[in-house]
Amino acid sequence: FGGLIGENFGELYCGNSSGEITVLGEASVGGSVGVNSKVISKVLSAVALNACGNVGGVLGYGKLGSISDAYYEIYSLVTKTGMVAYGNVGGIAGRIDAGTLVNGLVLGYDINEENSNIFVSSGYFGGLVGMTYGEVTILNSFANASFDIADGTFGGLVGSASGLTGITDCYARGIVLGNASFKGAFAGYGENSGFNQCYAEFNVDLNAVASGSINANNLVILTNQTTEVMTNISKVLKTEEEIFGQEFWTNRGFDFV
């Protein structure tokens, strides 16, 4: 199920979707595309989702495909219906098995410790992707929202990263709520995966990965109490506007004066 396409075997460019999607029963559900095996580029989703399975703000499930310039905006569960889901849940994609994500952006509104933009009752939950497996590459992506997970595994970038996943120049920021069993600044669970030049900032103290292990290079974690620097920071991390280009942000109402 997708706000624009249920299953994409071709190329989707310049798509815009909004509204609400509720799916009863387990499925692959995305604000733009349910299942993708080819190309998704320049898509914006503002779809409220209530589903279970592979659930993502833009894409439900991707295999051997690519996503670029994907933007998901989500509102508070109090002011509007946000995302309510369980399974493999991510701000951009629920699950990716081999493929790429470049320039993904998740922006939550009305962020505070009373409201959540995304609520997950159980499963793997990531700011960008719920679960990655196989040769997955994620570059230049950013997630900023209020994340609430009642039970399961949460990662600021990826809920579960395994099978040669590589993540570079990505940011995770926001508020973490709920009683999840495992919560990590970058990954909830990691195995055979690498995180390079990434940054995380949350309201609670988190380790880089909650369970398993990751190959870490130039990672920074900021919390309300501590600053953890992993390996040596050899250069200043990129600013948000450098990741996407200032025009990308100013077109969405950001002011860099």
Side-chain angles (χ1 to χ4, degrees), residues 138-171:
I138 301 176
L139 302 173
N140 300 342
S141 296
F142 178 54
N144 183 30
S146 177
F147 309 101
D148 189 354
I149 178 165
D151 188 23
T153 301
F154 168 79
L157 296 174
V158 179
S160 173
S162 61
L164 302 179
T165 293
I167 299 175
T168 302
D169 287 338
C170 290
Y171 289 63

Side-chain angles (χ1 to χ4, degrees), residues 31 147 211 250-251:
F147 309 101
S211 176
T250 55
N251 288 344

Side-chain angles (χ1 to χ4, degrees), residues 84-251:
V84 180
Y86 69 88
N88 300 316
V89 183
I92 295 293
R95 176 169 177 162
I96 298 177
D97 289 352
T100 60
L101 166 61
V102 179
N103 292 349
L105 172 63
V106 178
L107 280 184
Y109 291 85
D110 304 317
I111 297 175
N112 58 66
E113 294 188 5
E114 301 297 325
N115 307 325
S116 61
N117 303 122
I118 305 176
F119 172 75
V120 176
S121 59
S122 64
Y124 291 104
F125 176 22
L128 294 173
V129 183
M131 175 181 286
T132 61
Y133 184 79
E135 294 187 14
V136 177
T137 299
I138 301 176
L139 302 173
N140 300 342
S141 296
F142 178 54
N144 183 30
S146 177
F147 309 101
D148 189 354
I149 178 165
D151 188 23
T153 301
F154 168 79
L157 296 174
V158 179
S160 173
S162 61
L164 302 179
T165 293
I167 299 175
T168 302
D169 287 338
C170 290
Y171 289 63
R173 178 183 296 162
I175 292 174
V176 180
L177 306 170
N179 299 312
S181 303
F182 301 98
K183 291 181 282 191
F186 301 108
Y189 173 77
E191 180 182 356
N192 296 326
S193 297
F195 288 71
N196 178 58
Q197 203 74 13
C198 294
Y199 171 91
E201 183 178 358
F202 289 106
N203 62 315
V204 295
D205 292 334
L206 299 173
N207 293 323
V209 59
S211 176
S213 63
I214 59 175
N215 297 319
N217 182 39
N218 290 355
L219 303 184
V220 172
I221 302 172
L222 298 181
T223 72
N224 59 341
Q225 297 182 12
T226 65
T227 299
E228 178 184 353
V229 179
M230 301 185 60
T231 72
N232 295 319
I233 303 303
S234 59
K235 60 182 179 179
V236 177
L237 292 171
K238 290 183 179 180
T239 60
E240 293 149 21
E241 61 266 36
E242 286 175 324
I243 287 182
F244 299 99
Q246 185 166 324
E247 183 178 358
F248 181 95
W249 290 84
T250 55
N251 288 344

Side-chain angles (χ1 to χ4, degrees), residues 1-3 17-23 29-32 44-51 55-58 72-77 79-85 91 117-119:
F1 296 87
S17 57
S18 60
E20 297 183 11
I21 297 176
T22 297
V23 177
V29 183
S32 300
L44 186 154
S45 168
V47 176
L49 299 168
N50 190 335
V55 183
V58 173
Y72 182 52
E73 62 178 21
I74 189 163
Y75 294 87
S76 165
L77 291 172
T79 59
K80 292 186 179 182
T81 303
M83 184 193 294
V84 180
N117 303 122
I118 305 176
F119 172 75

